[in-house]
Amino acid sequence: MSSSPAASVLFVCVHNAGRSQMAAGFLSHLAGARVEVRSAGSIPADQVNPAAVEAMKEVGIDISDQKPKVLTTEAVQASDYVVTMGCGDACPIFPGKKYLDWALEDPAGKGVESVRPIRDEIKTRIQALVAEIDAQQEK
């Protein structure tokens, strides 16, 4: 197996504080060094949503050290997959990238009880994405 990542994935949502951070946490956890993981937001928040941090901690993934980052053209250009989660028209489109738009409820302002189902839906989608990336590598 080569030492370079099989793929690079960028997760984008408006605030880069909930959905994209949970997705990045799951992908890093499930794929390890096989996949390069980035996340960003079109209007980044000041901090990661505490309910998202708590919900991820419940499944053994610590995202408490993450900071919301601004979406850059360079991050999109450097990624093989761009997964949007409600960032609207703020995401630049480049040829040769695989774009996925995941319609997920925004966890902003919700308690951990309401964030758990969003977290679980993200995990399911990440597992499918890892399987897709792995299948591409086998070709």
Side-chain angles (χ1 to χ4, degrees):
M1 183 173 214
S2 72
S3 60
S4 64
S8 176
V9 179
L10 171 64
F11 295 102
V12 183
C13 66
V14 175
H15 300 297
N16 188 221
R19 295 165 290 187
S20 56
Q21 292 286 356
M22 289 191 287
F26 272 125
L27 185 56
S28 294
H29 180 76
L30 295 172
R34 295 192 336 257
V35 177
E36 184 179 11
V37 181
R38 296 181 181 86
S39 70
S42 51
I43 308 170
D46 294 330
Q47 67 177 21
V48 175
N49 181 333
V53 171
E54 183 61 32
M56 292 299 285
K57 196 173 286 183
E58 290 176 354
V59 295
I61 300 172
D62 183 5
I63 62 170
S64 63
D65 62 341
Q66 297 302 307
K67 304 279 183 254
K69 295 167 280 307
V70 70
L71 176 63
T72 64
T73 301
E74 294 77 22
V76 177
Q77 288 176 313
S79 301
D80 301 308
Y81 291 81
V82 179
V83 181
T84 58
M85 304 172 180
C87 71
D89 295 333
C91 297
I93 305 291
F94 293 99
K97 310 291 174 199
K98 177 152 188 176
Y99 289 87
L100 303 169
D101 186 37
W102 293 354
L104 296 163
E105 189 176 346
D106 189 346
K110 295 180 174 23
V112 70
E113 313 77 32
S114 299
V115 173
R116 286 183 189 119
I118 302 167
R119 174 203 64 200
D120 296 344
E121 175 66 19
I122 290 170
K123 181 180 180 183
T124 299
R125 290 174 187 232
I126 293 296
Q127 289 169 326
L129 180 60
V130 169
E132 179 180 326
I133 291 169
D134 288 345
Q136 290 295 323
Q137 289 305 298
E138 293 170 9
K139 288 184 177 180

